[in-house]
Amino acid sequence: MNIDRPLVAMEAEHGVLGALMHEPEQCEDIGAFLAASDFSDEDNGALYVMILGCHSRKVRPDPITLAEVRSELPSGDMTMVRAAEVMRDVPSASNGKHYAKILVERAKARQLYEVGQRLIGLSMTVGAIPEQISQAQSLVMDLNSEDEQPDVITMKQALGPVFEDMQDRLDGKQVIGQDFGLTDLDKIVRCIRPGNLVIIAGRPGTGKTVLGTNLADRIAVRKNGSALVFSLEMPNKELAKRSLAAEAGVHQDWIETGKAILDEDACTRITAAVAKLHKADVRICDKGALTFSRICSIARFEHRARKLDVIVVDYLSLIATDPTSKIQNRNLELGSYTRGFKALAKQLGIPVVVLAQLNRGIENRTVPKPKMSDLRDSGEIEQDADVIIMAHRDMDSERGKNGLTEIDVVKVRHAKPAGCLLQFQGEFARFVNAAAQPDEPEEARAPAKQVRQSSKSLLNSYNPRGGF
């Protein structure tokens, strides 16, 4: 039998307020996870804010001091009268934290109810069903993303995950994020991390699609992860052929013409590659004219079905304009997409990699090396992205004709921007490390291996004067 859950717990609201007036020290714990908006009654929420404010000023919150802060509550009731009633009716502070947790639960239940009402309204409103389904998914995902983590933590609590990551990396585990498997590029980027928006930009033919899809294949094939690729320009058959050529190391022409079957070595390589790719969780959506909201809808659905580790979108300018969009300027529209992809990355807790075109004007410059301002259509990409990678290959030079590609990481929030060279192997649809690179700087070399204590013990044994 279903039991109805009340959306309001007025006794618990009074219980929290009374407990904090009797024992203000609880403000430290309760204030870390309970918000004023979690109270259903506006007057109670206002009282809660005043109590926290008094405690922060080291003033004991009682009916008189609270009335000094604000004589009347939002309803017009007298602050002193309401506070005195609450303090009288709640004689003990022992269950304050428990009451606060009840308030958080009821607040989330009210949010769930409100989302349900909005979904009903959405279903009864005339509009494009795919777009409305995307809006509905976004509402539910936003609700689900709420957690019970405190708004404020101590520095020691914040340092804990840092030392755990340090230990895991020393132990050979990759926990910070995803790498490209390309030594010089990975030294610069230092992994693309959960919640990152990564832009890979270049003129046609420079290999930006290869760099993005190679990343997806690496995560799925070599790390047993999951990748979703939106290919708005290239059909899935072409992507599959490229992945096969890259993994097998067999010329794409041999695969297209069937020559690979006639060559024993190539056939062996392809057989081994197929075995790996068959098990790899790479999902491809090659539908054309997808709108931004539809891309997000598909991504959320796939992430719920099985957690994704990366999303690759090829490419930004091919995202179709939403028929219901009120944005008339294409630059502003694409800017809204990059903000949206950043929000999606944070919402799903995974990196989103978006490929972008560079402006054609780069070809008319004396020095055609790309700059941040060359990103086509949207100047907002620069502020939204966490990492911006630009690929450039000078086809008028000998090394450019041989596939040597300049990679400029012009923005990376967690490291220093720099550049490197990669070898583009177009026949195999892949990038590899470039040979004959300059010696590694002294400061970048790994420290000599020595007996060490665990990184966690460094944090646990650290005891500064006064403590945390």
Side-chain angles (χ1 to χ4, degrees):
M1 183 178 76
N2 292 331
I3 300 176
D4 291 339
R5 173 177 51 197
L7 297 180
V8 173
M10 195 59 65
E11 295 83 2
E13 293 189 17
H14 291 163
V16 170
L17 298 174
L20 294 180
M21 283 189 280
H22 285 294
E23 193 177 302
E25 294 75 18
Q26 291 195 43
C27 287
E28 306 289 346
D29 290 333
I30 292 175
F33 67 87
L34 182 67
S37 57
D38 291 333
F39 288 82
S40 65
D41 182 86
E42 190 177 7
D43 283 357
N44 290 340
L47 267 177
Y48 177 66
V49 171
M50 284 189 276
I51 290 171
L52 294 183
C54 283
H55 178 68
S56 70
R57 297 194 303 273
K58 301 188 184 306
V59 176
R60 190 171 186 86
D62 59 31
I64 296 176
T65 56
L66 293 174
E68 286 293 318
V69 176
R70 180 174 177 176
S71 60
E72 288 188 2
L73 296 171
S75 67
D77 288 352
M78 302 302 293
T79 299
M80 185 181 296
V81 174
R82 171 68 71 89
E85 290 176 350
V86 170
M87 202 168 186
R88 179 198 64 207
D89 294 340
V90 183
S92 171
S94 59
N95 290 321
K97 195 169 183 178
H98 174 67
Y99 295 147
K101 289 180 178 179
I102 292 175
L103 295 195
V104 172
E105 180 204 30
R106 299 300 166 84
K108 289 185 176 180
R110 291 195 298 273
Q111 291 173 9
L112 181 60
Y113 178 83
E114 290 169 5
V115 168
Q117 295 299 306
R118 292 175 67 181
L119 292 178
I120 291 173
L122 189 62
S123 68
M124 299 173 68
T125 302
V126 176
I129 288 294
E131 308 305 326
Q132 290 177 322
I133 290 174
S134 178
Q135 292 178 46
Q137 288 177 330
S138 181
L139 287 172
V140 175
M141 287 290 290
D142 288 344
L143 183 63
N144 192 46
S145 66
E146 297 289 333
D147 56 39
E148 297 181 6
Q149 294 298 316
D151 294 327
V152 178
I153 62 174
T154 66
M155 176 58 76
K156 183 171 182 178
Q157 290 171 319
L159 282 172
V162 175
F163 280 85
E164 288 175 4
D165 285 350
M166 193 188 305
Q167 181 66 52
D168 287 337
R169 297 205 77 191
L170 287 172
D171 291 341
K173 301 176 185 176
Q174 182 62 263
V175 295
I176 288 183
Q178 306 294 345
D179 57 43
F180 289 87
L182 298 163
T183 305
D184 294 313
L185 178 58
D186 288 329
K187 284 179 183 177
I188 300 170
V189 176
R190 297 184 187 175
C191 296
I192 56 174
R193 304 167 185 216
N196 276 180
L197 171 62
V198 181
I199 302 295
I200 300 177
R203 292 293 300 146
T206 53
K208 59 184 182 297
T209 299
V210 169
L211 198 56
T213 53
N214 280 180
L215 173 66
D217 289 345
R218 172 176 170 77
I219 290 170
V221 175
R222 288 174 171 73
K223 295 191 173 184
N224 197 32
S226 300
L228 173 61
V229 179
F230 288 94
S231 182
L232 306 183
E233 180 181 41
M234 196 177 297
N236 58 52
K237 179 181 176 181
E238 179 65 20
L239 282 183
K241 183 195 72 177
R242 288 186 172 201
S243 293
L244 181 59
E247 185 63 34
V250 174
H251 204 297
Q252 290 190 74
D253 288 346
W254 280 34
I255 294 174
E256 285 187 349
T257 60
K259 281 185 178 180
I261 299 175
L262 304 177
D263 184 271
E264 184 176 351
D265 179 61
C267 199
T268 302
R269 288 170 174 268
I270 286 178
T271 301
V274 168
K276 293 179 182 178
L277 293 170
H278 186 264
K279 294 185 293 183
D281 185 13
V282 179
R283 305 168 223 173
I284 302 170
C285 176
D286 66 348
K287 292 184 177 180
L290 284 178
T291 62
F292 173 77
S293 60
R294 183 62 180 145
I295 289 173
C296 290
S297 176
I298 294 170
R300 293 189 189 103
F301 176 83
E302 292 296 330
H303 189 68
R304 284 199 308 275
R306 182 180 175 188
K307 184 180 179 301
L308 293 165
D309 294 291
V310 71
I311 295 171
V312 178
V313 181
D314 184 18
Y315 57 89
L316 183 65
S317 298
L318 290 180
I319 298 175
T321 299
D322 190 327
T324 62
S325 175
K326 296 180 181 179
I327 303 176
Q328 301 298 319
N329 184 288
R330 182 62 173 169
N331 291 359
L332 296 177
E333 184 179 32
L334 292 179
S336 72
Y337 295 163
T338 56
R339 287 194 302 276
F341 280 129
K342 175 60 181 176
L344 181 68
K346 291 183 66 177
Q347 185 183 68
L348 301 184
I350 60 174
V352 173
V353 179
V354 180
L355 312 185
Q357 288 274 32
L358 291 174
N359 289 316
R360 188 177 296 276
I362 186 177
E363 298 169 356
N364 300 323
R365 291 205 302 257
T366 306
V367 180
K369 191 173 183 178
K371 299 180 292 187
M372 194 102 71
S373 58
D374 293 320
L375 285 165
R376 173 182 280 183
D377 296 321
S378 177
E380 297 187 43
I381 293 176
E382 180 178 348
Q383 68 182 39
D384 297 326
D386 298 284
V387 180
I388 300 178
I389 299 171
M390 292 187 172
H392 171 65
R393 189 162 54 255
D394 184 3
M395 296 308 296
D396 292 330
S397 68
E398 188 63 31
R399 68 178 195 170
K401 293 175 182 178
N402 291 330
L404 208 57
T405 305
E406 296 179 55
I407 301 293
D408 283 321
V409 182
V410 294
K411 181 182 180 181
V412 52
R413 290 192 193 277
H414 49 266
K416 183 179 179 180
C420 66
L421 293 175
L422 294 179
Q423 182 67 48
F424 180 62
Q425 297 180 337
E427 66 275 22
F428 302 133
R430 67 188 183 190
F431 277 101
V432 295
N433 296 315
Q437 292 297 294
D439 290 339
E440 187 176 348
E442 189 68 31
E443 62 271 17
R445 294 178 186 169
K449 192 170 183 180
Q450 53 185 297
V451 178
R452 56 174 171 79
Q453 58 182 325
S454 73
S455 65
K456 289 183 181 178
S457 69
L458 294 176
L459 178 61
N460 294 334
S461 63
Y462 180 53
N463 186 25
R465 277 181 289 179
F468 277 98

